[in-house]
Amino acid sequence: QVQLVESGGGLVQAGGSLRLSCAASGRTFSSYAMGWFRQAPGKEREFVASISRSGSGTYYADSVKGRFTISRDNAKNTVYLQMNSLKPEDTAVYYCTASTRWGRVGPADYSYWGQGTQVTVSK
């Protein structure tokens, strides 16, 4: 069982940056690949980024590639999402999630979810 708590969301102007954090409970954090998804109003939840158990592998949605960076600190049971050059279309609730399988982009492949944190990017 893994419990995930996101933080770091907020309101930022276009072109700005935010860093999301996700703290995980339990002693098996390093056993999970971690991911970030987002959901905008009226839209389906979409994949943003994922990172392998060791942190050596990362994968991004095309829409955020080059602007967002996912990382993890297994000693701190925390995964991060650094978001730069933010655009209004990045506005969404961002969810941290954990999976036993690396390289997955579908929400159904992730077993544990946080409560989400709101990111709003103004023009």
Side-chain angles (χ1 to χ4, degrees):
Q1 190 82 7
V2 178
Q3 293 184 328
L4 305 172
V5 179
E6 303 97 334
S7 61
L11 173 64
V12 64
Q13 288 187 331
S17 298
L18 280 176
R19 188 194 197 201
L20 305 183
S21 299
C22 173
S25 66
R27 291 177 286 182
T28 59
F29 176 71
S30 60
S31 299
Y32 293 91
M34 300 298 295
W36 288 94
F37 282 72
R38 66 186 181 187
Q39 188 166 19
K43 294 187 177 181
E44 294 185 352
R45 192 167 296 191
E46 65 172 356
F47 171 81
V48 175
S50 64
I51 189 166
S52 63
R53 295 173 184 82
S54 67
S56 61
T58 57
Y59 185 69
Y60 298 92
D62 287 343
S63 59
V64 306
K65 200 173 295 182
R67 300 188 298 122
F68 291 11
T69 302
I70 188 171
S71 61
R72 68 189 295 166
D73 185 336
N74 286 345
K76 296 182 178 180
N77 282 11
T78 303
V79 62
Y80 306 96
L81 186 67
Q82 177 67 43
M83 305 185 295
N84 298 329
S85 301
L86 282 161
K87 304 175 182 180
E89 51 264 44
D90 295 318
T91 295
V93 176
Y94 282 71
Y95 296 91
C96 173
T97 185
S99 175
T100 58
R101 295 183 289 181
W102 154 240
R104 305 291 177 167
V105 299
D109 293 311
Y110 288 79
S111 304
Y112 303 102
W113 294 82
Q115 83 288 350
T117 185
Q118 177 71 47
V119 171
T120 303
V121 184
S122 63
K123 296 181 181 178

